[in-house]
Amino acid sequence: MKDLHALPRVRDSLTYLYLEQCRVEQEAKSITVFDKRGSVAVPAAALSLLLLGPGATVTHAAIRTLAENGCMVCWTGEGAVRLYAHSTGETRSARNLIRQAALASDPGLRLQVINRMYRIRFAEELPQGLSLQQLRGREGLRVRQAYARASEESGVPWQGRFYDRSDWRRSNPINRALSTASSALYGICHAAIVATGYSPGLGFIHTGKMLSFVYDIADLYKAELSIPIAFRTVAESERNLESRVRQACRDAFYRGRLLERIIPDISKVLGFEETTASLFEFDGDGAVPAPGWLWDGDTEPVAGGVNYSGSAGPDVADIHDMETDG
């Protein structure tokens, strides 16, 4: 019998693939991409995120195959600079989401997470006792220095961050490159967050957006990855800029095994230790029924279908049928 725990994990997957003006179909338990130049097979089991841009169509069978292989699918704008919708992630456990919500809802615990999120970005140890405003000030200085350093190393002039959402071409090349690189970074962070059962909308530093937690996690890597990549790519040439930035990000994310870093970093900033088993763990058994556990006040959660007398009530599958049937 296969050991399900030996199956590939999201951290071991390839990073992402962006497609536009093509058709995606299922073929031999994986997918194949067709366009006017021909076709190419893509190993769905080794892919963590598929970005579908304008002109891309996908069959029902292909989506099912991607879902079964734990690949997240996002429908995006041109160049993946906007996110319109996304599929569900791979995990069936709500454990991480519950713990994330508890941290985000408690001001004291939330401040501890924010403190860790800021401190992990600095190579040097920061003094203890810094206020949130002092941490923000140091972070602002760090980001400005990252832009200035990338500008000096690449020779690309830098006058500040500017882009017009209503007119993409009004931005200068370096700002377009930075936006494109950030979008690629957001995509891979988003995929890791959803695949491991966290909510992309429950942010700590950022708040109020459905991608707030994505922005929180992506900020851990911007100064190291997306900012230098954008400046280097513009310095090489402004031709086919957005496409070349995406390719450079893809290669850098793969070489640096970014997915392998993101998931432990999320656990680190949230103060979690990764565990192999939990009361709320459903990923190890694909046959666990949908209802899962029932909240039982101050006591431990009880299995679905067990009544308060302790005797077995309706089967959990029957409960699920009753819920779905109304």
Side-chain angles (χ1 to χ4, degrees):
M1 174 179 278
K2 279 187 176 180
D3 179 4
L4 294 180
H5 296 284
L7 293 174
R9 304 180 68 179
V10 65
R11 69 177 63 185
D12 301 318
S13 302
L14 301 176
T15 51
Y16 71 92
L17 176 65
Y18 172 78
L19 300 173
E20 61 180 31
Q21 305 299 327
C22 65
R23 179 175 176 82
V24 183
E25 298 182 0
Q26 180 197 26
E27 185 172 326
K29 299 298 183 180
S30 193
I31 60 171
T32 297
V33 181
F34 298 86
D35 66 8
K36 60 184 180 182
R37 296 169 294 181
S39 64
V40 60
V42 177
L47 187 64
S48 61
L49 173 64
L50 178 63
L51 301 168
L52 298 177
T57 60
V58 58
T59 65
H60 178 279
I63 287 291
R64 185 183 68 243
T65 297
L66 290 165
E68 290 172 348
N69 283 280
C71 178
M72 182 178 176
V73 182
C74 293
W75 286 262
T76 75
E78 184 177 2
V81 296
R82 292 179 182 172
L83 177 67
Y84 299 131
H86 63 83
S87 64
T88 57
E90 186 174 13
T91 183
R92 301 179 69 225
S93 169
R95 177 190 61 192
N96 287 340
L97 174 59
I98 291 170
R99 298 194 297 181
Q100 180 189 7
L103 293 174
S105 302
D106 184 296
L109 295 176
R110 182 172 185 163
L111 186 58
Q112 292 178 21
V113 174
I114 291 173
N115 199 295
R116 285 192 291 267
M117 282 186 168
Y118 278 131
R119 290 178 179 276
I120 199 175
R121 305 178 193 186
F122 291 85
E124 71 278 7
E125 185 72 22
L126 295 182
Q128 296 299 318
L130 293 178
S131 67
L132 179 56
Q133 291 72 26
Q134 289 172 321
L135 286 169
R136 283 175 177 162
R138 287 175 179 256
E139 169 64 4
L141 176 61
R142 184 186 75 93
V143 173
R144 290 193 296 272
Q145 290 175 340
Y147 283 125
R149 183 169 57 251
S151 175
E152 181 179 357
E153 292 175 351
S154 65
V156 176
W158 174 246
Q159 283 83 38
R161 194 77 171 95
F162 169 80
Y163 62 96
D164 186 344
R165 293 177 59 187
S166 63
D167 188 353
W168 174 250
R169 291 297 164 185
R170 280 193 60 194
S171 301
N172 60 20
I174 184 55
N175 273 283
R176 295 203 309 274
L178 285 165
S179 295
T180 303
S182 292
S183 294
L185 182 58
Y186 294 155
I188 196 64
C189 291
H190 193 168
I193 287 167
V194 176
T196 46
Y198 295 104
S199 168
L202 282 180
F204 293 84
I205 295 174
H206 296 86
T207 187
K209 291 284 190 178
M210 286 304 294
L211 297 180
S212 292
F213 193 50
V214 176
Y215 303 147
D216 281 351
I217 299 303
D219 280 352
L220 301 177
Y221 312 106
K222 277 188 176 180
E224 173 192 352
L225 293 171
S226 61
I227 292 176
I229 288 172
F231 275 88
R232 286 198 302 267
T233 307
V234 172
E236 293 168 359
S237 170
E238 296 179 12
R239 185 177 180 183
N240 299 324
L241 183 59
E242 289 83 351
S243 175
R244 290 173 45 248
V245 169
R246 289 195 302 270
Q247 292 172 7
C249 286
R250 177 197 63 198
D251 295 342
F253 296 168
Y254 177 76
R255 288 195 305 270
R257 300 190 64 82
L258 181 57
L259 269 177
E260 188 173 312
R261 297 173 53 189
I262 292 174
I263 297 171
D265 283 348
I266 293 176
S267 296
K268 182 177 180 180
V269 298
L270 295 183
F272 298 159
E273 292 294 334
E274 290 188 288
T275 59
T276 56
S278 167
L279 177 64
F280 299 101
E281 186 61 70
F282 295 95
D283 296 331
D285 185 357
V288 173
W293 304 90
L294 304 178
W295 185 77
D296 200 31
D298 294 331
T299 65
E300 294 290 340
V302 297
V306 176
N307 63 29
Y308 281 94
S309 67
S311 61
D315 184 81
V316 282
D318 295 334
I319 292 175
H320 180 57
D321 290 340
M322 288 187 286
E323 289 175 346
T324 55
D325 291 342

